[in-house]
Amino acid sequence: QFARLGRRLARQAAACDADDVGIDAFELLSAVFSIGGNSERPHRPGQIAWYAARVDAARERMDTDFVSPHPLAALAADAGMSSFHFARVFAELTGGPPHAYLLAIRHAAAARMLRDGAPVTETALACGFGNLSHFIRSFRRRFGVLPSRFK
């Protein structure tokens, strides 16, 4: 059953240009099994603070340098956790996987640039999107309008 789920997730990742935006299998599995904070195992009181500090550090890193790719493995290594565990803890504490958090930051920055009159291509590249068509699709999905018509 997990093999079938893995193949399905791989097809979905390929369909949404996942390589361009840094999604990997661990993050996808984490999103499927962990969003909503339904942890089956309660955490010790000190553990939550330890996790929160590491998740906050990862969020700060993505907030200040949203243009760079932030692979899940690198974020997890910096936090001192495995990729799967970090993605699960991040989702429990923030309500979504690291990739979704980074994408939201990039979209917010793009919206500000577009409101200020920046061209779409320049905006996409300046906000960390390496693929213009992926930027246009994801922007429209989030805001309901093409970037060229966003004001």
Side-chain angles (χ1 to χ4, degrees):
Q1 189 173 22
F2 283 109
R4 186 174 59 225
L5 176 62
R7 286 190 301 273
R8 183 172 162 218
L9 291 172
R11 282 193 307 272
Q12 289 174 345
C16 70
D17 297 329
D19 290 338
D20 295 331
V21 293
I23 294 177
D24 64 15
F26 289 118
E27 189 167 322
L28 288 169
L29 289 171
S30 172
V32 169
F33 292 112
S34 296
I35 288 181
N38 296 328
S39 178
E40 294 181 18
R41 216 180 60 176
H43 300 291
R44 293 184 309 270
Q47 229 176 354
I48 297 296
W50 190 86
Y51 288 152
R54 276 142 186 85
V55 166
D56 284 344
R59 289 173 57 194
E60 177 69 24
R61 180 176 169 187
M62 289 186 277
D63 287 341
T64 58
D65 185 20
F66 59 85
V67 176
S68 298
H70 293 284
L72 181 62
L75 293 171
D78 289 347
M81 297 181 223
S82 71
S83 294
F84 180 79
H85 188 64
F86 176 77
R88 186 173 60 81
V89 168
F90 191 98
E92 285 177 6
L93 295 178
T94 66
H99 172 259
Y101 182 83
L102 181 59
L103 194 57
I105 293 167
R106 288 178 174 174
H107 281 139
R112 285 189 302 274
M113 286 183 69
L114 291 168
R115 268 192 220 107
D116 292 341
V120 173
T121 303
E122 179 184 314
T123 299
L125 296 174
C127 292
F129 292 93
N131 182 311
L132 182 61
S133 63
H134 176 263
F135 168 68
I136 292 169
R137 281 192 313 271
S138 68
F139 190 92
R140 184 175 188 186
R141 197 175 309 126
R142 181 169 300 263
F143 294 106
V145 64
L146 290 170
S148 59
R149 299 201 183 270
F150 187 81
K151 291 290 176 199

